[in-house]
């Protein structure tokens, strides 16, 4: 439990820093004059990520360097934060991003490259859309109340799905 508390503080600090940086963009009108949407402002995003990485390495009480082990933890927490109940990402998505970014987020952050976060979020939104289509199909089917079925409400400890039911 004591191990989890520093991780939550670290993650919370990162979220606060990113929220403060994104606040003006998110609160602004849809098309502010002279501003790019946050996803297209790679220079600004990179500087924010680099700054947060440096601050965390310096001011966190453990003063652990931002290295591959932190990268792995950060990736896992980012994906769990998006899909805490393991409903959207497929295991293949998790495997792909872990292989691609698991030991590189620290390097990418130092290079001020935040493309990984947007790539992962884009995949998440793709999976959400796929699930919405799947739900729409299921709703159109007749319901058979004679079938003995169960639904797991808390899937946070369950593995990510291997694929989409129905082959989507």
């Amino acid at each position: 439990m004591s191990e989890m508390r520093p991780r939550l503080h670290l993650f919370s600090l990162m979220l606060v820093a990113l929220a403060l940086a994104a606040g003006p963009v998110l609160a602004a009108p849809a098309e502010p004059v002279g501003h790019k949407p946050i996803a297209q402002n790679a220079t600004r995003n990179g500087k924010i990520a680099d700054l947060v990485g440096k601050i965390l390495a310096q001011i966190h009480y453990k003063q652990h360097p931002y290295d591959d082990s932190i990268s792995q933890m950060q990736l896992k927490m980012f994906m769990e934060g998006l899909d805490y109940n393991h409903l959207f990402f497929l295991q293949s998505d998790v495997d792909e991003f872990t292989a691609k970014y698991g030991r590189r987020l620290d390097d990418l952050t130092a290079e001020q490259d935040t493309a990984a976060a947007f790539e992962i979020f884009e995949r998440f939104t793709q999976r959400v859309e796929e699930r919405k289509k799947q739900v729409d199909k299921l709703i159109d089917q007749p319901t058979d109340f004679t079938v003995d079925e169960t639904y797991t409400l808390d899937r946070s400890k369950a593995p990510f799905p291997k694929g989409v039911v129905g082959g989507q």
Side-chain angles (χ1 to χ4, degrees):
M1 185 69 161
S2 62
E3 282 262 341
M4 188 62 156
R5 192 168 289 135
R7 289 181 184 167
L8 290 175
H9 291 296
L10 177 72
F11 187 66
S12 298
L13 181 60
M14 289 176 64
L15 286 178
V16 168
L18 290 174
L20 289 173
V25 174
L26 296 176
E31 291 295 325
V33 177
H35 289 91
K36 295 179 184 175
I38 193 164
Q40 294 177 2
N41 200 334
T43 302
R44 179 178 169 194
N45 297 339
K47 287 179 182 179
I48 292 168
D50 184 40
L51 180 63
V52 169
K54 288 176 181 172
I55 289 171
L56 290 175
Q58 292 173 5
I59 68 168
H60 192 270
Y61 78 96
K62 284 188 173 184
Q63 294 192 341
H64 191 285
Y66 190 18
D67 59 8
D68 291 353
S69 66
I70 298 294
S71 291
Q72 290 174 327
M73 182 180 70
Q74 181 184 17
L75 177 63
K76 183 177 191 251
M77 291 179 75
F78 182 61
M79 293 185 74
E80 291 282 337
L82 291 172
D83 189 7
Y84 66 93
N85 220 12
H86 300 185
L87 295 172
F88 302 106
F89 283 124
L90 301 177
Q91 185 61 51
S92 60
D93 298 329
V94 174
D95 295 343
E96 174 189 343
F97 292 131
T98 300
K100 192 172 182 180
Y101 299 120
R103 295 182 178 270
R104 292 193 56 230
L105 288 180
D106 57 324
D107 301 323
L108 293 171
T109 299
E111 296 167 9
Q112 299 186 359
D113 182 352
T114 58
F118 291 102
E119 180 183 349
I120 293 167
F121 185 75
E122 188 175 306
R123 179 75 54 86
F124 174 72
T125 57
Q126 172 192 341
R127 296 298 186 213
V128 169
E129 287 301 316
E130 290 171 359
R131 294 311 178 272
K132 284 170 49 178
K133 288 177 184 175
Q134 183 182 18
V135 167
D136 289 340
K137 285 182 182 178
L138 290 172
I139 287 174
D140 291 338
Q141 295 177 0
T143 305
D144 183 359
F145 292 106
T146 62
V147 177
D148 186 20
E149 296 178 311
T150 60
Y151 179 78
T152 305
L153 292 174
D154 181 5
R155 289 188 35 84
S156 61
K157 303 230 184 308
F160 284 93
K162 292 192 184 311
V164 179
V165 177
Q168 266 197 8

